[in-house]
Amino acid sequence: MSSRQGVAPHTTSALTKGERTRARILGYAVSRFASEGYRRTSVSEIARDAGVAPPAIYAYFMGKDGLFRAALEADAAGLISDARSMTSGGSVRARRLRFLGALIERVGEHPLAYRVLAGMEPEVSRQIRLEPVDASTVELADELADAQKRGEVRDDADPLALARGLEAIGLALLVAHVKIGPAAGDPRRAAGIAAVLDAALRAPVVEGR
């Protein structure tokens, strides 16, 4: 796993001063929580890293729990965005396979997401439902619904249910990769995943067509 300690998220000149401060705090929070863990990290340490007074943290986040959640969401959103940037073009099936591969390839660059997937923060992470993951699921459901209209994907299944199932497969693959390592990328497993996607997505063949 690679580390980005001390590196804040990318910001642009279009952001307000408050937004830049919040982004800087989040960047250092990701680094601290990823390297030290939730219990060993203090809000004052993150404030010192970010160059702000500790009370400033509470102006943007609901305490340490809120800061951890926001940091995890930011890191998860970055991972999803990275993976999506590598998956444009082709069928839904092809894009999904590339997306899963990209998640595995890039997860090591997102240290807090990596730490949580590795099960190193069970007390706090099990209660968190991440907005970026939910948003990704809804986006995938929209893609599947459009593909159903084109006849590319079977139309006898609810697209949101399919999307949730595919997201669950992706999460399971990430956890396996993080906990088991390269063995999770066995070519036979990759072929099996492709077969599952085919079974889930392929439009049924209609006799006489």
Side-chain angles (χ1 to χ4, degrees):
M1 179 182 70
S2 63
S3 174
R4 297 182 300 176
Q5 187 167 352
V7 179
H10 294 296
T11 59
T12 70
S13 58
L15 297 179
T16 65
K17 180 180 178 181
E19 289 169 337
R20 290 195 299 271
T21 299
R22 186 181 188 277
R24 187 169 69 254
I25 292 169
L26 273 182
Y28 286 103
V30 168
S31 295
R32 275 284 180 178
F33 284 129
S35 61
E36 304 294 334
Y38 178 85
R39 284 184 173 274
R40 294 175 58 192
T41 297
S42 70
V43 170
S44 61
E45 288 173 330
I46 294 171
R48 183 175 65 249
D49 291 343
V52 300
I57 301 289
Y58 298 97
Y60 296 98
F61 306 99
M62 297 293 291
K64 184 178 176 180
D65 288 351
L67 179 55
F68 180 87
R69 180 191 181 97
L72 179 56
E73 287 201 334
D75 210 31
L79 173 58
I80 291 170
S81 178
D82 283 354
R84 280 199 174 276
S85 71
M86 302 169 65
T87 59
S88 61
S91 66
V92 172
R93 172 191 177 277
R95 291 198 304 273
R96 198 62 192 171
L97 282 172
R98 291 198 299 271
F99 180 75
L100 294 176
L103 285 176
I104 290 173
E105 179 181 333
R106 294 296 184 89
V107 67
E109 299 173 18
H110 297 272
L112 186 53
Y114 189 105
R115 183 181 180 89
V116 170
L117 288 166
M120 299 172 70
E121 299 289 351
E123 294 181 6
V124 290
S125 60
R126 70 164 60 98
Q127 303 298 327
I128 294 178
R129 181 173 176 175
L130 299 179
E131 190 279 332
V133 176
D134 288 346
S136 178
T137 301
V138 171
E139 186 175 349
L140 175 58
D142 290 341
E143 292 178 19
L144 291 169
D146 289 341
Q148 286 176 328
K149 294 175 183 177
R150 298 192 301 270
E152 179 186 324
V153 171
R154 61 191 306 154
D155 60 4
D156 58 346
D158 177 69
L160 182 56
L162 276 176
R164 286 172 175 158
L166 293 174
E167 291 289 0
I169 290 172
L171 179 60
L173 286 172
L174 274 176
V175 171
H177 172 74
V178 169
K179 290 189 173 183
I180 301 174
D186 187 311
R188 293 170 298 179
R189 291 192 177 95
I193 292 165
V196 168
L197 289 183
D198 283 339
L201 301 179
R202 182 176 291 159
V205 176
V206 179
E207 293 280 342
R209 287 191 181 180

